[in-house]
């Protein structure tokens, strides 16, 4: 896929993985529309992305919207299309995560996480898809997580939202094929971003110990894998060996992984 003069709409593009992907795509010639809530973060990211552009003619838009509010995200995507044109790429990176013990997490956390991570992605896709189908071209990139492949201790509010995205991507892949619209789903490992920093504040000790078994990636490293996956038109984009094995073999290796993670959790429990 050639990125020059293409239009990429990126929800959650003002921070972390979304921002790093926006920067990389801008350096390859893409025009970018960033969508997130906080205007200040959006403007700062816009300046960073403009600095990474291949040419000053590439436009970068910063549009404020809450993806969980259907009318807001529909209006944001319409505005991006009106200003730059139909999107060639939609990357749904906007997401939240609040780890904690199941019984201690307020019910609102479960509801909000599903509203942002799942319905926020769904509304974005529904808003961008008609113009992609009309042109018989476009690519949807849904950002799930390693926690969307196996449920992880402490992620009872988050994992299901990322599983739901996997179900959506798998359903859409076949359904959209005849219309020329591609679908990818990304399973990032732990990535050094403001989200991970916030998660670390509420992560149960057991979750920390389990997460400590895998390496933490940089947002730029994950962005490189996302862009490479789009170029190769890969359906599943799993950065690194651990995520690749998990993506290919998750059902097969889940019993072994569960045994291993249970031992880690029990060890933490004993010293608590
Ligand atoms: N970091 C990791 O370890 C990791 C691992 C696996 C998967 N992921 C997934 O990767 C994606 C990006 O995460 P990240 O780590 O890059 O997070 P991040 O740095 O916190 O960025 C999240 C982005 O989403 C936006 N956002 C959050 N809630 C929103 C809402 N309701 N409406 C619109 N925008 C919203 C944020 O801006 P505002 O707050 O201003 O709206 C920000 O731009 C998420 O879907 C996350 O679940 C992350």
């Amino acid at each position: 896929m050639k990125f020059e003069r293409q239009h990429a709409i990126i929800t959650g593009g003002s921070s972390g993985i979304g921002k790093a992907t926006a920067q990389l795509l801008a350096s390859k010639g893409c025009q970018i529309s960033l969508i997130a809530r906080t205007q200040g973060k959006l403007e700062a990211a816009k300046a960073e992305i403009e600095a990474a552009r291949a040419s000053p003619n590439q436009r970068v838009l910063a549009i404020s919207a809450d993806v969980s509010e259907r009318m807001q995200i529909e209006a944001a995507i319409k505005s991006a299309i009106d200003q730059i044109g139909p999107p060639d790429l939609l990357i749904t990176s906007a997401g939240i995560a609040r780890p904690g013990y199941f019984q201690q997490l307020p019910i609102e956390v479960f509801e909000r996480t599903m509203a942002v991570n799942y319905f926020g992605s769904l509304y974005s896709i529904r808003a961008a898809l008609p113009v992609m189908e009309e042109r018989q071209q476009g690519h949807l990139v849904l950002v799930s997580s390693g926690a969307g492949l196996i449920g992880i201790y402490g992620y009872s509010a988050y994992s299901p939202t990322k599983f739901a995205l996997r179900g959506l991507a798998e359903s859409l892949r076949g359904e959209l094929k005849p219309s020329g619209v591609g679908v990818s789903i990304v399973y990032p490992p732990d990535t050094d971003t403001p989200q991970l920093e916030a998660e670390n504040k509420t992560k149960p000790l057991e979750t920390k110990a389990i997460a400590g078994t895998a390496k933490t990636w940089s947002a730029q490293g994950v962005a490189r894998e996302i862009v490479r996956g789009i170029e190769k038109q890969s359906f599943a984009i799993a950065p690194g060996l651990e995520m690749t094995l998990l993506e290919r073999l998750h059902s097969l290796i889940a019993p072994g992984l569960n045994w291993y993670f249970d031992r880690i959790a029990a060890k933490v429990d004993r010293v608590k």
Side-chain angles (χ1 to χ4, degrees), residues 11-19 35-39 41-42 65-68 92-97 112 116-117 143-147 158 162 187-196 199 219:
T11 72
S14 67
S15 177
I17 294 169
K19 184 174 80 175
I35 301 176
R37 289 165 308 170
T38 321
Q39 199 66 51
K41 275 200 289 181
L42 276 167
D66 183 332
V67 292
S68 71
T92 60
S93 190
I96 53 172
R112 180 73 187 150
V116 175
N117 295 3
V143 181
S144 177
S145 165
Y158 177 73
K162 296 297 184 175
Y187 300 109
D190 267 359
T191 308
D192 184 13
T193 67
Q195 176 176 304
L196 189 66
E199 279 177 46

Side-chain angles (χ1 to χ4, degrees), residues 4 18 20 32 86 91 199:
E4 233 164 277
I32 308 283
I91 303 177
E199 279 177 46

Side-chain angles (χ1 to χ4, degrees), residues 13-187:
S14 67
S15 177
I17 294 169
K19 184 174 80 175
T21 307
Q23 275 175 309
L24 186 53
L25 287 172
S27 76
K28 290 177 179 282
C30 260
Q31 319 221 59
I32 308 283
S33 296
L34 307 172
I35 301 176
R37 289 165 308 170
T38 321
Q39 199 66 51
K41 275 200 289 181
L42 276 167
E43 290 306 328
K46 178 178 181 309
E48 283 181 58
I49 291 155
E50 280 175 345
R53 281 177 300 189
S55 142
N57 299 328
Q58 289 164 240
R59 296 186 64 191
V60 180
L61 305 179
I63 305 170
S64 175
D66 183 332
V67 292
S68 71
E69 296 289 336
R70 187 167 55 82
M71 309 272 261
Q72 284 189 30
I73 183 63
E74 283 174 358
I77 289 183
K78 182 178 183 309
S79 162
I81 293 171
D82 288 347
Q83 292 181 69
I84 296 187
D88 300 283
L89 269 175
L90 170 70
I91 303 177
T92 60
S93 190
I96 53 172
R98 167 85 182 279
Y101 296 108
F102 177 68
Q103 296 276 44
Q104 290 173 14
L105 286 169
I107 196 68
E108 291 75 19
V109 170
F110 293 82
E111 292 166 348
R112 180 73 187 150
T113 313
M114 193 56 100
V116 175
N117 295 3
Y118 179 67
F119 283 102
S121 302
L122 181 79
Y123 299 152
S124 306
I125 291 167
R126 300 255 307 187
L129 192 55
V131 277
M132 288 184 169
E133 285 193 304
E134 210 175 287
R135 296 170 74 219
Q136 300 252 298
Q137 74 180 66
H139 199 111
L140 306 170
V141 181
L142 287 72
V143 181
S144 177
S145 165
L149 292 166
I150 50 161
I152 296 174
Y153 191 123
Y155 278 116
S156 57
Y158 177 73
S159 264
T161 70
K162 296 297 184 175
F163 270 65
L165 285 174
R166 177 153 64 93
L168 178 63
E170 289 183 0
S171 305
L172 287 180
R173 188 201 58 78
E175 195 174 325
L176 298 183
K177 206 168 188 178
S179 68
V181 177
V183 179
S184 296
I185 179 144
V186 190
Y187 300 109

